[in-house]
Amino acid sequence: RRHTPTDHHMSFRTMARLQSDAWGMGEHEQLLKMIELAGSFDQLDLSNLAWAEMAFRRIQVIEWVHHERVREGESSGDRLSPEEWAAFSGTTRAGDTLMVCPQLLSHVKGVVETDVQIMKSVRKAREERELKRGHAKAKGKGKASSDG
C-alpha cells in the first residue's frame, strides 16, 4: 500500500500524540490534501511548482514545532534515549520520518549560528564601550579628587 500525504498526516498526528485541534494540525492536513490532489488528481509535477515548495516548507515548519513530542512518544524508558534504543534495536526512529528536509535544517542552523555570532559580537562591543566609559569616569573622578 502506498503512503499518501494524507496517510503521512495521520501517522504524524499519531506519532506526536496530537489532537486535530492542536496548533497547525488543520493547516497540516489541508496542505497535505492539496499536495495529494495536485499530484494524483491533477497530475502536476510538484517538484517544479513554487506553491508546492511553499506548502512543503510550511508543513516542515509545523512538523518541526511538534518534533519534540515525536521524540517523547518514542521514548523507551529511563535507561535508554530514543537514539540509543534505535541503535541497539536496529530500528528506525519515528523522528526520522518527519517530513523536514535535512538541507533545510542545515540552512536554518547556519542562519541561526550567524545570527548568534552577530548578537555575540554586538554584545561584546557594547560591554567594551561600557568598560571604557567606566574607566574614563574613574579617571575623571581620580583627577577631580587629586586636584581638590
Side-chain angles (χ1 to χ4, degrees), residues 56-112:
F56 277 117
R57 285 177 181 254
R58 184 62 182 168
I59 291 163
Q60 291 177 92
V61 166
I62 292 167
E63 291 193 10
W64 185 253
V65 166
H66 294 293
H67 85 279
E68 283 299 318
R69 288 186 60 97
V70 173
R71 290 191 75 235
E72 291 168 9
E74 65 185 13
S75 181
S76 59
D78 296 333
R79 293 187 187 92
L80 293 177
S81 71
E83 292 83 4
E84 292 167 328
W85 183 255
F88 281 107
S89 66
T91 60
T92 59
R93 295 181 44 238
D96 293 338
T97 62
L98 290 179
M99 194 166 47
V100 180
C101 176
Q103 290 86 357
L104 178 60
L105 289 177
S106 295
H107 170 73
V108 169
K109 177 185 173 198
V111 169
V112 170

Side-chain angles (χ1 to χ4, degrees), residues 10-17 69-70 73-74 94-95 97-98:
M10 294 307 296
S11 65
F12 176 74
R13 266 192 49 206
T14 302
M15 285 187 304
R17 296 181 324 273
R69 288 186 60 97
V70 173
E74 65 185 13
T97 62
L98 290 179

Side-chain angles (χ1 to χ4, degrees), residues 14 27 37 41 51-52 63 69 73 77 85 88 94 99 111 115 117 119 130-131 143 148:
T14 302
E27 183 181 11
L37 286 172
F41 184 79
W51 75 264
E63 291 193 10
R69 288 186 60 97
W85 183 255
F88 281 107
M99 194 166 47
V111 169
D115 288 350
Q117 284 300 111
M119 291 185 315
E130 289 171 3
L131 280 174
K143 279 186 176 183

